[in-house]
Amino acid sequence: MHETPPEPNEREKLVTSENNGREQAEATGDRGSVDAATEDFVAHRNLLFTVAYEMLGSAADAEDVLQETWLKWAGVDLDTVRDRRAYLVRITTRQALNRLRTLGRRKESYVGSWLPEPLLTTPDVAEDVELADSVSMAMMLVLETLAPVERAVFVLREVFDLGYDEIAEAVEKSPAAVRQIAHRARAHVAARRPRGEVSATESREALAAFQRAVETGDLQGLLDVLSPDVVLLGDGGGIKQAVLRPIVGADKVARLMLGGLVKLDMEMRMDPAQVNGHPALVIRLDGELDTVVAVRFDDGRITGLYAVRNPEKLSYMREEATTLSR
């Protein structure tokens, strides 16, 4: 019996695409061009991934967009490109917009709450306060409420500080229209941002108190760290058990969490981690990655808990930390 070879993962697909482009260029005697194209693509890869991820909320889809970007970029006459970084961002944005519209249709039939795919991030991301804020689970959910073009404009303008003319080319709108869209998106996001600034130290301390309370079954300790109007969202994707609707209120959330742990007949381990640029908890059951809990803090207390259990969204958490960039 012949075994079917495994499907390549997204990173392998990207490398394969790059190699194919290089081979085609070498066959036509244009090796210098593809080497330059590859160098430019690799130099800006983290930036392009960040743009795609912030627009899509999915690392797997962001990788697909990067593959599509490379395929288009490899066929461009570089002598006609004045600003290669801007050109790459434009290709990535257009590919992400196409995919974002497809994802919107997928989410309509998604089982339970849809949460962004969590990323294990390097300390550098947390140090870039604006970037960390923009990729936080709370902000990614706010971006989900924007229309596709609004999301693209907001990300490119507010996170990456691109000029209106550049953004206009990327989203195929006039600069005047882009200014209006940016103003509308900015107001929409501002009304939904976390209410108070919380330092990294405060976040870590609050998360540590939350972890202690959960591990020891301390109901009062849990209530002390949760905001009265805390919201718990769970994402099992119809594959793993998770709350199907938001759970609101400190007492309901605390009792649900502690009650669920009592029923477990598996060994649980909770570890702090940097996820999407902020402190979070990684939960393992019998040694296997089971859940990533991202947290939103407002005025020193936990106001949002985002528990991702869908195994299809945890593949990046099983890999090394991701470097995002602006």
Side-chain angles (χ1 to χ4, degrees):
M1 179 183 297
H2 296 287
E3 293 185 359
T4 302
E7 287 292 321
N9 62 33
E10 299 306 324
R11 292 180 187 275
E12 290 169 344
K13 288 179 183 176
L14 182 66
V15 171
T16 299
S17 298
E18 291 174 2
N19 289 340
N20 288 344
R22 185 180 295 109
E23 289 167 2
Q24 291 169 9
E26 289 175 358
T28 59
D30 196 18
R31 181 171 180 174
S33 176
V34 77
D35 284 347
T38 302
E39 288 174 7
D40 287 326
F41 184 85
V42 171
H44 299 300
R45 190 187 190 285
N46 288 345
L47 165 67
L48 302 178
F49 178 86
T50 308
V51 170
Y53 175 73
E54 291 216 25
M55 287 183 61
L56 301 170
S58 165
D61 285 296
E63 289 286 8
D64 282 347
V65 163
L66 258 63
Q67 180 185 359
E68 294 160 1
T69 298
W70 164 254
L71 292 174
K72 289 187 175 295
W73 175 244
V76 171
D77 180 358
L78 298 186
D79 291 337
T80 66
V81 178
R82 179 176 53 82
D83 186 335
R84 295 181 183 182
R85 176 181 179 272
Y87 199 101
L88 280 163
V89 169
R90 186 194 313 167
I91 297 174
T92 300
T93 300
R94 290 179 181 174
Q95 298 305 312
L97 275 171
N98 291 338
R99 190 164 291 260
L100 190 58
R101 295 182 179 105
T102 300
L103 286 177
R105 292 191 291 272
R106 269 193 239 161
K107 291 170 189 174
E108 291 174 2
S109 58
Y110 198 80
V111 178
S113 300
W114 185 95
L115 293 175
E117 186 175 334
L119 290 178
L120 188 66
T121 48
T122 60
D124 290 347
V125 177
E127 291 171 6
D128 186 335
V129 177
E130 291 184 5
L131 178 60
D133 176 61
S134 71
V135 297
S136 70
M137 195 69 74
M139 178 57 74
M140 296 291 283
L141 283 174
V142 172
L143 294 181
E144 281 293 310
T145 64
L146 296 173
V149 173
E150 285 181 330
R151 184 167 183 169
V153 169
F154 180 87
V155 167
L156 294 177
R157 179 63 182 171
E158 299 300 314
V159 181
F160 300 100
D161 199 29
L162 265 64
Y164 289 112
D165 289 343
E166 285 182 278
I167 299 173
E169 289 187 9
V171 300
E172 299 179 292
K173 300 281 186 183
S174 70
V178 166
R179 286 179 181 275
Q180 292 180 342
I181 294 169
H183 176 76
R184 198 164 56 238
R186 195 179 301 119
H188 181 96
V189 170
R192 293 161 177 80
R193 279 185 183 275
R195 294 186 296 272
E197 293 294 327
V198 180
S199 70
T201 300
E202 289 175 317
S203 298
R204 285 193 294 270
E205 290 175 351
L207 193 64
F210 173 83
Q211 181 178 349
R212 284 195 303 272
V214 171
E215 291 177 333
T216 60
D218 181 1
L219 177 61
Q220 188 55 53
L222 202 50
L223 292 173
D224 289 341
V225 76
L226 296 177
S227 171
D229 58 353
V230 64
V231 178
L232 167 65
L233 296 176
D235 182 343
I239 302 171
K240 288 287 191 76
Q241 184 177 1
V243 295
L244 296 177
R245 294 180 298 278
I247 306 299
V248 182
D251 189 67
K252 287 182 179 178
V253 170
R255 293 183 185 278
L256 176 68
M257 295 192 70
L258 297 183
L261 294 177
V262 170
K263 299 175 183 177
L264 279 179
D265 58 356
M266 307 170 78
E267 179 186 354
M268 184 191 76
R269 174 179 167 182
M270 302 179 74
D271 295 304
Q274 278 282 340
V275 174
N276 288 58
H278 292 270
L281 289 173
V282 175
I283 300 175
R284 291 179 172 82
L285 299 181
D286 285 346
E288 295 293 326
L289 176 62
D290 181 82
T291 308
V292 173
V293 182
V295 182
R296 169 174 171 167
F297 297 95
D298 289 287
D299 299 321
R301 303 184 84 177
I302 295 174
T303 58
L305 290 164
Y306 313 105
V308 181
R309 297 198 71 205
N310 184 345
E312 294 178 353
K313 293 187 176 183
L314 297 180
S315 60
Y316 261 68
M317 291 296 298
R318 298 184 179 94
E319 300 177 9
E320 62 185 35
T322 300
T323 300
L324 302 173
S325 66
R326 289 195 297 154

